[in-house]
Amino acid sequence: MTVTIDDIAREAGVSTATVSYVINNNEKVGPETRKKVLQIIEKRDYHPNSSARNLARKKTEVLGLIVPEVTGVFYADIVQGVEDAAFQNNFTLYLGTTNAKKEREKMMIDHFSGNRVDGLILTTYFINKNYIKELKNRDLDFVFIGNPVKDDSVSTVVVDNFSSGYRAAEHLINLGHKKIAFIKGDPNSWDAEERFAGFKAVMNNYDLEINNDYIKTGNYQQEEGYKAAQELFNLEVKPTAVFASNDQMAMGVYKAAQENNIKIPEQLSVVGFDDIAAASHLNPPLTTVNQPTYRMGQKAVEILIKKIKGQKVPEENIVFETEFIKRNSSQKKSKIF
Amino acid sequence: MTVTIDDIAREAGVSTATVSYVINNNEKVGPETRKKVLQIIEKRDYHPNSSARNLARKKTEVLGLIVPEVTGVFYADIVQGVEDAAFQNNFTLYLGTTNAKKEREKMMIDHFSGNRVDGLILTTYFINKNYIKELKNRDLDFVFIGNPVKDDSVSTVVVDNFSSGYRAAEHLINLGHKKIAFIKGDPNSWDAEERFAGFKAVMNNYDLEINNDYIKTGNYQQEEGYKAAQELFNLEVKPTAVFASNDQMAMGVYKAAQENNIKIPEQLSVVGFDDIAAASHLNPPLTTVNQPTYRMGQKAVEILIKKIKGQKVPEENIVFETEFIKRNSSQKKSKIF
DNA sequence: GTGAAAGCGCTAACAG
DNA sequence: CTGTTAGCGCTTTCAC
């Protein structure tokens, strides 16, 4: 038998309204009434039924978060940032994982509709403008982390993947490298595409040729980085540097290099992206780009909660700075090799 | 204006009961009635209010998961396992993070009471028997991952930390090491204590002395492993092997070793625990113990859902096997050093 | 096969 | 300061 507000009211000899008031810290309840009620609540270990409460209030105080997966450092940090911020604002978190599957992504979002959450934070691959339009008609606030679609009518918190990619590749160029390979990420991932665009842009600006043999595609997994590197190493004219669009794949490059007896950074410079925890512990430590994922998660919550609270905030596009981190996996192009 | 079941009913010219039936796939609705209703639901983009539904049904079809944090590989994998399994069973996931803070842990659990979830999966540090007793009086099923308390009256899915610690240390002993250091985990973490107990047990069985100077305590963070190792390396008689109770701290040991020009594994064998993704990419690859965290998460959901469905399952204590993974960070004790 | 209506447990006017 | 009461939106029994 679960205990309800009626039980408490009866036992305390007050009305349910009064009990409700004390639960909700309504000032107008007299001190002793409050005390008595509190006491009985405690004694009966009463916990208000949140469905009933949500129904009556028309809000849930829960945030939904949709991510492809949670085991990669990148998303794990976002989740942590979101969770902490949500907690601090007295919101709880629904977590939905899409496995980067288009259909599951849509299911997840639909699932969160229907007053299950007050707002939604989305890190998605497949969402399109049409779907966003549909979303807007729902009684639901939302903000994106990362911008799968260019759309000024939605709030996003992002990182400038283009510039970050540009800068990281420029580092390689400044080191004297000309034969630079690029390992792209999942074809569906817009962020990898942006990094690639940045790469192409610098190459072009420095009048460097983009050799198609040097452009490989992985799915952000280490294994794919490994395969891509193997192919690269089988080329007649090998690249002297490789830019992997995430650290996982860079780790794969390390492995392939080791197997082929190619020394990093002496014979091959490599730069990654993300600055995962392991990056600084690799041998040699990996030059990479750090994204403030935790803070991005926090920021998304901040914006979302403002919206939920009804503050008329303009749709904003927050761009966080990345940090280029020079470590030892990249060095001046050797004249020997 | 959110659209409700009444709107649909009116527009379809049927009663709300009928709409409810079709939403819930109740067989008895006639094919054309169903079709018409479905059509209007689609057209209006109607999503049933889940609070109302939960209130009426007295269940939520959501699972709560409480973890200390989500950025470590260990918990991230659990989260992923739980999320996937929940999704497959048409449950969604509430995620709560405790930061390994006692008070927040309790808040989180209390928060989930009150019909917010149908069941709870707990990975906690501080829970005690009293609190469990209290939990049992709530209308809530739960299962633990890891067993902070020895209590046969609750379901748990665990790993045998004692034996795993025993075995890993035994590996070192078999390699000829006698001066073996141990870096304990967070004092609050029962699992680290169990690993330590296993360590002490082998040492004792092999008549090896446990030197207090060789026993350090960290908080599972890499930084603490680093500090502990520094202290170890400052000892007059240095250990020839160190067993870090998780991989993060082992990574700290690597760093300290490097700074002190101590070669792993030639001068120092090290073994970790957890087999995080980076473990195999360290230089040298880390000997460690793998825990099937993802599967543990899945299993917990499986048990929990059985309970929720009212199947009278006995409280079970599922013990998963760990896998000892020999890599290159440990080797025969050198006669030179 | 369909509908009327009584809840589910709580909130929040409104009245006193 | 406290109580009465009408919802919140959906499910489900029972009757037709």
Side-chain angles (χ1 to χ4, degrees):
Chain A
M1 237 5 268
T2 64
V3 12
T4 74
I5 201 172
D6 289 291
D7 300 321
I8 303 298
R10 197 173 321 114
E11 196 160 334
V14 299
S15 75
T16 62
T18 300
V19 177
S20 176
Y21 294 145
V22 351
I23 293 170
N24 294 294
N25 283 313
N26 188 318
E27 290 301 333
K28 57 186 175 185
V29 183
E32 35 240 64
T33 314
R34 147 170 281 110
K35 199 172 143 206
K36 191 183 352 158
V37 171
L38 246 17
Q39 214 173 313
I40 292 175
I41 286 179
E42 172 78 10
K43 176 176 139 210
R44 305 290 307 269
D45 193 28
Y46 164 69
H47 295 269
N49 180 307
S50 55
S51 294
R53 161 180 282 191
N54 293 340
L55 179 57
R57 281 193 184 154
K58 287 165 167 290
K59 57 182 180 177
T60 62
E61 262 152 8
V62 1
L63 263 32
L65 171 63
I66 296 181
V67 288
E69 45 94 12
V70 80
T71 55
V73 197
F74 181 71
Y75 292 112
D77 266 2
I78 288 183
V79 174
Q80 192 69 58
V82 168
E83 214 279 330
D84 284 343
F87 178 78
Q88 272 152 30
N89 287 279
N90 289 312
F91 275 74
T92 41
L93 225 216
Y94 258 128
L95 178 72
T97 266
T98 67
N99 251 317
K101 300 263 174 49
K102 181 167 188 169
E103 145 211 28
R104 185 157 157 185
E105 182 173 307
K106 197 157 185 305
M107 279 181 68
M108 226 56 246
I109 299 177
D110 276 342
H111 180 81
F112 283 130
S113 304
N115 296 312
R116 212 176 279 268
V117 298
D118 291 343
L120 213 42
I121 294 175
L122 301 146
T123 68
T124 54
Y125 280 175
F126 303 102
I127 259 201
N128 59 30
K129 291 215 181 208
N130 263 340
Y131 195 64
I132 288 183
K133 203 182 294 170
E134 208 175 305
L135 252 187
K136 283 187 180 167
N137 287 326
R138 319 248 258 241
D139 196 18
L140 195 61
D141 294 298
F142 55 92
V143 9
F144 284 89
I145 294 183
N147 51 349
V149 325
K150 291 282 177 222
D151 186 337
D152 289 341
S153 71
V154 301
S155 287
T156 52
V157 1
V158 297
V159 117
D160 189 341
N161 284 285
F162 179 88
S163 309
S164 305
Y166 188 102
R167 199 162 27 145
E170 191 170 34
H171 162 75
L172 258 10
I173 295 174
N174 287 338
L175 254 23
H177 294 281
K178 295 188 193 320
K179 295 191 290 255
I180 305 177
F182 190 94
I183 306 179
K184 299 166 68 169
D186 189 309
N188 288 311
S189 90
W190 44 270
D191 51 2
E193 287 303 323
E194 290 179 358
R195 289 169 202 172
F196 184 50
F199 168 78
K200 286 190 291 191
V202 236
M203 291 296 276
N204 197 44
N205 281 351
Y206 282 83
D207 283 328
L208 258 24
E209 188 200 357
I210 296 177
N211 182 338
N212 274 331
D213 288 344
Y214 291 166
I215 308 304
K216 298 291 173 189
T217 298
N219 62 352
Y220 274 161
Q221 303 301 302
Q222 180 199 319
E223 190 54 28
E224 301 269 329
Y226 171 79
K227 280 191 213 148
Q230 289 288 18
E231 291 175 25
L232 256 13
F233 296 156
N234 283 333
L235 258 26
E236 205 147 323
V237 182
K238 297 179 185 50
T240 63
V242 12
F243 181 1
S245 50
N246 77 347
D247 289 351
Q248 301 289 336
M249 295 197 297
M251 277 165 48
V253 174
Y254 270 52
K255 188 176 166 206
Q258 191 175 358
E259 288 182 10
N260 287 274
N261 259 311
I262 294 176
K263 285 223 163 5
I264 301 173
E266 292 81 359
Q267 302 174 54
L268 182 76
S269 283
V270 2
V271 348
F273 207 106
D274 281 353
D275 192 29
I276 66 178
S280 58
H281 296 286
L282 297 176
N283 184 7
L286 179 65
T287 296
T288 187
V289 177
N290 178 278
Q291 303 188 59
T293 40
Y294 183 88
R295 278 165 48 223
M296 291 167 76
Q298 284 184 308
K299 186 68 183 179
V301 170
E302 203 176 289
I303 298 174
L304 185 54
I305 285 182
K306 266 194 221 151
K307 287 186 169 200
I308 291 173
K309 296 244 165 97
Q311 295 172 241
K312 267 282 145 275
V313 284
E315 303 295 341
E316 13 183 12
N317 194 322
I318 309 279
V319 181
F320 272 82
E321 288 296 318
T322 58
E323 185 188 1
F324 178 74
I325 299 182
K326 167 74 178 85
R327 286 197 272 248
N328 297 327
S329 65
S330 55
Q331 71 170 37
K332 255 211 163 81
K333 181 185 168 301
S334 158
K335 276 151 201 146
I336 308 174
F337 300 104
Chain B
M1 239 2 271
T2 65
V3 12
T4 72
I5 200 173
D6 289 290
D7 301 322
I8 304 298
R10 196 173 320 114
E11 195 160 335
V14 299
S15 75
T16 61
T18 301
V19 177
S20 176
Y21 294 146
V22 350
I23 294 170
N24 295 294
N25 284 314
N26 188 318
E27 289 303 333
K28 59 184 175 188
V29 183
E32 36 241 61
T33 314
R34 146 169 282 112
K35 198 171 144 206
K36 193 187 345 158
V37 171
L38 247 17
Q39 216 171 313
I40 293 174
I41 285 180
E42 173 77 11
K43 176 176 139 211
R44 305 288 308 269
D45 193 29
Y46 164 68
H47 295 269
N49 179 308
S50 54
S51 293
R53 163 179 281 192
N54 293 341
L55 179 57
R57 281 194 185 153
K58 288 163 165 290
K59 56 181 181 178
T60 62
E61 261 151 11
V62 1
L63 262 33
L65 171 63
I66 296 181
V67 288
E69 45 93 12
V70 79
T71 55
V73 197
F74 181 72
Y75 292 112
D77 266 1
I78 288 183
V79 175
Q80 192 70 58
V82 168
E83 214 280 331
D84 285 342
F87 178 78
Q88 272 153 29
N89 288 279
N90 288 312
F91 275 74
T92 40
L93 225 215
Y94 255 127
L95 178 71
T97 266
T98 67
N99 251 317
K101 300 262 173 49
K102 181 167 188 170
E103 146 211 29
R104 185 157 158 186
E105 182 174 308
K106 197 155 186 306
M107 278 181 68
M108 223 60 243
I109 299 176
D110 276 342
H111 179 82
F112 282 130
S113 303
N115 297 312
R116 213 177 278 269
V117 299
D118 291 344
L120 212 42
I121 295 175
L122 302 146
T123 69
T124 54
Y125 280 174
F126 304 102
I127 259 203
N128 60 29
K129 290 214 179 207
N130 262 340
Y131 195 65
I132 289 183
K133 203 183 292 170
E134 207 175 303
L135 252 187
K136 283 186 180 167
N137 287 326
R138 314 248 263 234
D139 197 15
L140 195 62
D141 294 299
F142 55 93
V143 9
F144 285 88
I145 294 183
N147 51 348
V149 325
K150 291 281 176 221
D151 187 336
D152 289 342
S153 71
V154 300
S155 287
T156 52
V157 1
V158 297
V159 116
D160 189 340
N161 284 285
F162 179 88
S163 309
S164 305
Y166 188 103
R167 200 163 26 148
E170 190 170 33
H171 162 74
L172 256 11
I173 295 174
N174 287 337
L175 253 23
H177 294 280
K178 294 188 193 321
K179 295 192 290 255
I180 305 176
F182 189 94
I183 306 180
K184 299 166 68 170
D186 190 311
N188 289 311
S189 90
W190 45 271
D191 52 2
E193 287 303 322
E194 289 179 358
R195 288 168 203 172
F196 184 49
F199 168 77
K200 286 190 291 190
V202 233
M203 291 296 275
N204 196 44
N205 281 350
Y206 281 85
D207 284 325
L208 259 26
E209 187 201 356
I210 296 176
N211 182 337
N212 274 330
D213 288 345
Y214 291 167
I215 308 303
K216 298 291 172 189
T217 298
N219 62 352
Y220 274 161
Q221 303 302 301
Q222 182 198 319
E223 190 55 26
E224 301 270 328
Y226 172 78
K227 279 191 214 149
Q230 288 289 18
E231 292 175 25
L232 256 13
F233 297 155
N234 282 334
L235 258 25
E236 205 146 321
V237 182
K238 298 180 184 51
T240 63
V242 12
F243 181 0
S245 50
N246 77 346
D247 289 351
Q248 301 289 335
M249 295 196 298
M251 277 165 48
V253 174
Y254 271 51
K255 189 176 166 207
Q258 193 175 357
E259 289 182 9
N260 287 273
N261 259 312
I262 294 175
K263 285 224 163 4
I264 300 172
E266 292 81 358
Q267 301 173 54
L268 181 77
S269 284
V270 2
V271 348
F273 208 106
D274 281 353
D275 191 29
I276 65 178
S280 58
H281 297 286
L282 296 175
N283 184 8
L286 178 65
T287 296
T288 187
V289 177
N290 178 278
Q291 303 189 60
T293 40
Y294 183 88
R295 277 165 48 225
M296 289 167 76
Q298 284 184 308
K299 186 67 184 180
V301 170
E302 203 176 289
I303 298 175
L304 184 55
I305 286 181
K306 265 194 221 152
K307 288 186 166 199
I308 291 173
K309 297 245 165 96
Q311 294 173 239
K312 267 284 146 274
V313 282
E315 304 296 340
E316 13 183 10
N317 194 321
I318 309 278
V319 181
F320 273 81
E321 290 294 318
T322 58
E323 185 187 0
F324 178 75
I325 299 181
K326 167 74 178 84
R327 287 199 271 248
N328 297 327
S329 64
S330 54
Q331 74 169 35
K332 255 211 164 76
K333 181 184 167 304
S334 159
K335 275 148 202 145
I336 308 173
F337 301 104

